Amino acid sequence: MIDRIEFLWPEIALFVTTCVVMVLGLSRRIESRRMTALVTGLGLIIAGVLAARTTPIPGPRSGQVLLPELIPYAKVLIASVGSLLLLLQAGTVDRAEEAAIAAGQRPYDPLRTNRAEYYAFFLFSLTGLMLCASADDLIWLFLALELTSLPTYIMVAMSTGRARSREAGVKYFFLGALGAAVFLYGFALIYGGTGSTNLNAIHAHLAAHGLNLTALAGFILAFLGLCFKIAAVPMHFYAADVYQGAAPQVSAFLAFVPKAAGFISILLLTATIGWSYAADAQGPLYTPITQSAYDALEGAVSMGLPEPIRVFLWVIAALTMTVGNVLAILQKSVKRILAYSSIAHSGYMLVAVLAGPNNGTFSQSGLAAVLFYLLVYGVGNLGAFAVLACLEGRPDADGEPAEIEDVDDIRGLWKTRPLLAWVMTLSCLGLMGLPPLLGFFGKLPLFTSGLAAGEIVLVVILGLNSAVAAYYYLRLIKASLIDPPSDADLPATPTPFATRTLAGVLSAAGVVVLAFVGGGLMDRSERAARYTSMMAVAPPPPPRKTPYVPGDDTPFPLPIPIGAR
Amino acid sequence: MSDALTLAQQGWPAAFPAVTLAHYLFVSAAMFTVGLIGFLTRRNLIIMFLCTELMFQAAGIALVAFGRYHLDFSGQTFVIFILTVAAAEAAMALALVVLLFRKRETLSADEWTEMKG
């Protein structure tokens, strides 16, 4: 147990920072309160450094045996994108309150401020995300996913003072609770079907006995519940409303953090199932084939996820891409366009999840493609939301500045705010996947891994969708870079927070620069995706327990008296 | 005289020979389904939240039953954590609902449709 702590130092660092931030944000002195964001950033940097210094130890000590090198990569990625997101959060809460205190209208009252809670929730959510990456147990994974999600519900509700933020928060919470209940029931069935909550033990059980119907139902329900986290099709409808209701900087947070948690969990669960099942396997038990048996068939069958799970994820991926892109075309609000585009990006990444590790090289491994695309998507999306967070309209009746809503509101940005116009352009081109930019190098392995796994139809759908997506990204680029400024009476003025602009500029620079120095990152994501399955090797050890098979009506075994074991 | 025996006296319905895992799983699946249907059909926010709680506890029943079946304690351990998370969610749900209720005195989800499209 104590060995495990070696891998949890980043999370411990973040948790300690959270405790400090909760106290610091309530300080009477304005200087101390201003330090809150700084301390949060410091904690994130420390966590990132600690994560980078974590060296995976082979063997069961490292916890995760299936994806042993995932932990450092995922945590460094989380800490880096988390730091960019932190720059964007400046002045989200307490803006009016601090202004009133500075103007001497009212004394400082700890009950009226919520800066401490806001930054603490921000850090709690990132801690949960890091814990998802280190999870090797269903219980752990469930708690980590809940720790990621619960703070975000509150962050949405308190992000602005408007009624629609509260509405968005409540909507997000209720659908989030539904999603959590669904994947929790899935976890219960996985435990029932395999007799263990440990992912490595589950994998060993599946390698020895194949996938039974209880575990199959469990995995399907678990993926269905996780679709909420990644905003994939049956659970996608909240995304547009929630992203629209929340402040843009919180929408940027929602578009990355829960989605990364969902994809890391999906990768862990699919790695537990393994991609070693022959496509034409029939019958109630889905048995993985060994490497030697597969080689003997000389390519007569294709290997992949068990057929029902493959079909399920195939349908979800195809629907998610198409629905996201088609609905994005119909939108007028920039935030809703970005929300539907983030749904479409989830669909793209599911293609690579389906493809699996193949031969493990960067161009063929779907796992490496997902891990690299999380970075590409995180950086590009952050830039687009940063532009919205940097602009505001005239204050409304409540004294709160109006938000930039429609595409028309960012028209002619090149004249008024050329920097932001370029940030928007580069981010959209990056998300679109235009060749010299980072998005292209992220999207290419999605295609190649899908082709390597033989998913030709799905790759064609992916290609068509990428072409459709160009329409609405070009629409945003045209509005900000080409159209003349609108003469409406809601001129977009910059917010007084320079770090938000900095976050936008950094992510736009990332879209360009990382494309040219991204070779190292690709190597890292390829290494992070190293998959050590027990399925392709010698016969696995026999399991400890008999799995539950539907129709089994043997009575419960007699209880063993305590101490008799 | 034998006609006078009631069905119960004849031992009908036949007593369960033993309670098997399937019985527990049936209860759990029924609770989950009731919760899901309730969530999708009811519009009162409190009732909707209770429905998600029902679904959480359905998973709990399945876990305890499976743990008993496999004779290990992982299932029961899981349930303890679920109870904790469910308590945290309950606190959060009530806080959020009160926040909405202060703005507009209704608990119906249909009253909150500012964002559409």
Side-chain angles (χ1 to χ4, degrees):
Chain A
M1 191 61 218
I2 204 80
D3 305 335
R4 303 301 293 283
I5 293 192
E6 285 173 36
F7 295 89
L8 296 179
W9 283 121
E11 285 93 333
I12 293 171
L14 279 189
F15 181 72
V16 171
T17 318
T18 313
C19 298
V20 174
V21 161
M22 270 197 274
V23 178
L24 203 63
L26 289 175
S27 167
R28 274 190 183 281
R29 295 176 50 225
I30 178 73
E31 293 82 16
S32 309
R33 289 205 297 279
R34 286 219 182 96
M35 294 280 284
T36 318
L38 202 67
V39 172
T40 310
L42 211 61
L44 274 172
I45 291 170
I46 291 173
V49 171
L50 285 173
R53 292 169 63 88
T54 314
T55 42
I57 301 169
R61 281 184 66 204
S62 65
Q64 270 178 35
V65 181
L66 296 171
L67 294 166
E69 320 236 1
L70 172 72
I71 296 176
Y73 177 85
K75 286 184 188 170
V76 172
L77 170 68
I78 292 160
S80 336
V81 180
S83 310
L84 278 182
L85 283 169
L86 177 69
L87 289 178
L88 205 55
Q89 307 296 322
T92 303
V93 288
D94 278 359
R95 190 171 161 188
E97 179 70 17
E98 290 288 354
I101 294 169
Q105 287 169 0
R106 62 171 91 101
Y108 171 68
D109 178 6
L111 288 178
R112 294 181 67 103
T113 67
N114 41 22
R115 183 194 294 253
E117 289 95 324
Y118 187 78
Y119 284 104
F121 283 142
F122 179 87
L123 281 176
F124 268 136
S125 193
L126 287 175
T127 314
L129 180 50
M130 285 197 179
L131 281 170
C132 273
S134 356
D136 73 330
D137 197 283
L138 291 178
I139 303 178
W140 184 333
L141 193 59
F142 169 71
L143 291 176
L145 281 167
E146 289 296 284
L147 185 60
T148 315
S149 292
L150 290 182
T152 57
Y153 306 141
I154 307 277
M155 282 171 73
V156 171
M158 72 200 259
S159 64
T160 72
R162 289 189 198 84
R164 68 177 202 184
S165 290
R166 299 174 182 190
E167 183 191 329
V170 170
K171 214 175 244 183
Y172 193 39
F173 171 80
F174 275 90
L175 292 167
L178 178 72
V182 171
F183 71 70
L184 178 62
Y185 203 78
F187 286 180
L189 291 181
I190 295 172
Y191 169 61
T194 57
S196 175
T197 55
N198 184 292
L199 295 180
N200 302 324
I202 293 173
H203 184 73
H205 186 278
L206 295 180
H209 296 269
L211 189 61
N212 57 43
L213 280 180
T214 315
L216 177 67
F219 278 113
I220 298 267
L221 276 181
F223 288 133
L224 197 61
L226 287 171
C227 279
F228 171 83
K229 303 271 181 245
I230 63 170
V233 142
M235 307 277 229
H236 69 289
F237 38 82
Y238 75 93
D241 288 354
V242 173
Y243 289 14
Q244 190 186 12
Q249 56 273 30
V250 177
S251 307
F253 188 81
L254 296 182
F256 178 74
V257 174
K259 191 163 285 204
F263 268 105
I264 288 172
S265 315
I266 286 181
L267 280 188
L268 287 179
L269 287 181
T270 40
T272 307
I273 301 172
W275 287 267
S276 307
Y277 298 81
D280 56 350
Q282 294 296 321
L285 282 179
Y286 302 93
T287 317
I289 59 176
T290 57
Q291 188 67 47
S292 53
Y294 177 70
D295 293 340
L297 289 169
E298 290 176 343
V301 295
S302 60
M303 227 157 61
L305 291 170
E307 195 62 8
I309 292 180
R310 193 189 74 88
V311 170
F312 178 76
L313 287 179
W314 197 101
V315 171
I316 285 188
L319 280 179
T320 306
M321 289 188 271
T322 316
V323 168
N325 278 325
V326 168
L327 290 180
I329 288 178
L330 305 174
Q331 301 303 320
K332 282 210 304 269
S333 149
V334 183
K335 271 187 189 168
R336 290 184 85 93
I337 291 179
L338 289 176
Y340 282 113
S341 98
S342 90
I343 293 174
H345 283 284
S346 290
Y348 305 158
M349 284 192 264
L350 279 176
V351 175
V353 171
L354 205 58
N358 292 314
N359 67 5
T361 57
F362 183 73
S363 61
Q364 288 211 10
S365 168
L367 308 188
V370 172
L371 290 175
F372 190 65
Y373 203 78
L374 273 180
L375 167 76
V376 173
Y377 164 81
V379 172
N381 216 32
L382 208 151
F385 276 112
V387 173
L388 298 184
C390 287
L391 294 169
E392 62 189 13
R394 289 220 183 90
D396 57 11
D398 302 337
E400 188 146 354
E403 273 181 21
I404 296 305
E405 184 70 53
D406 284 355
V407 179
D408 285 343
D409 292 343
I410 60 164
R411 275 177 63 186
L413 215 52
W414 56 275
K415 209 161 191 177
T416 49
R417 308 284 298 163
L419 190 64
L420 293 180
W422 280 107
V423 170
M424 184 57 121
T425 306
L426 287 173
S427 308
C428 284
L429 288 177
L431 286 173
M432 207 165 91
L434 202 74
L437 296 174
L438 186 62
F440 174 72
F441 298 104
K443 211 168 235 178
L444 197 61
L446 298 182
F447 282 92
T448 51
S449 65
L451 286 176
E455 301 286 355
I456 309 292
V457 180
L458 199 56
V459 170
V460 170
I461 298 177
L462 172 59
L464 288 177
N465 270 295
S466 302
V468 171
Y471 170 76
Y472 55 84
Y473 286 131
L474 287 176
R475 200 171 138 212
L476 289 181
I477 294 172
K478 176 174 167 285
S480 58
L481 203 64
I482 296 170
D483 282 352
S486 63
D487 43 19
D489 58 350
L490 192 135
T493 52
T495 42
F497 305 105
T499 54
R500 293 193 189 175
T501 319
L502 181 64
V505 171
L506 281 180
S507 41
V511 169
V512 180
V513 174
L514 291 183
F516 296 103
V517 296
L521 286 171
M522 290 174 191
D523 291 343
R524 267 161 216 272
S525 61
E526 182 188 320
R527 206 173 335 134
R530 191 167 68 84
Y531 175 52
T532 52
S533 170
M534 291 167 222
M535 286 178 173
V537 288
R544 286 182 300 138
K545 301 161 191 113
T546 42
Y548 172 67
V549 181
D552 176 4
D553 52 357
T554 45
F556 274 9
L558 285 172
I560 302 167
I562 292 171
R565 293 190 173 217
Chain B
M1 192 63 191
S2 64
D3 302 346
L5 282 177
T6 63
L7 284 174
Q9 283 166 332
Q10 292 168 19
W12 193 90
F16 293 122
V19 178
T20 64
L21 178 59
H23 295 102
Y24 284 94
L25 290 188
F26 179 78
V27 171
S28 144
M31 262 173 78
F32 187 81
T33 318
V34 167
L36 186 62
I37 293 174
F39 185 87
L40 296 176
T41 54
R42 300 296 294 266
R43 294 284 66 144
N44 183 312
L45 288 173
I46 302 275
I47 303 278
M48 283 166 78
F49 175 70
L50 288 180
C51 289
T52 63
E53 284 296 294
L54 208 56
M55 291 161 79
F56 265 76
Q57 304 315 323
I61 289 181
L63 279 168
V64 171
F66 277 129
R68 185 71 187 78
Y69 182 84
H70 292 307
L71 286 184
D72 78 4
F73 292 110
S74 308
Q76 297 182 28
T77 319
F78 207 152
V79 171
I80 305 260
F81 285 112
I82 292 176
L83 291 179
T84 321
V85 169
E89 282 205 341
M92 207 165 194
L94 293 179
L96 283 170
V97 169
V98 167
L99 198 67
L100 280 193
F101 191 77
R102 276 196 196 143
K103 204 86 174 175
R104 200 180 302 170
E105 298 217 344
T106 171
L107 283 176
S108 169
D110 291 333
E111 295 290 315
W112 293 93
T113 50
E114 201 180 305
M115 290 165 295
K116 271 271 157 70

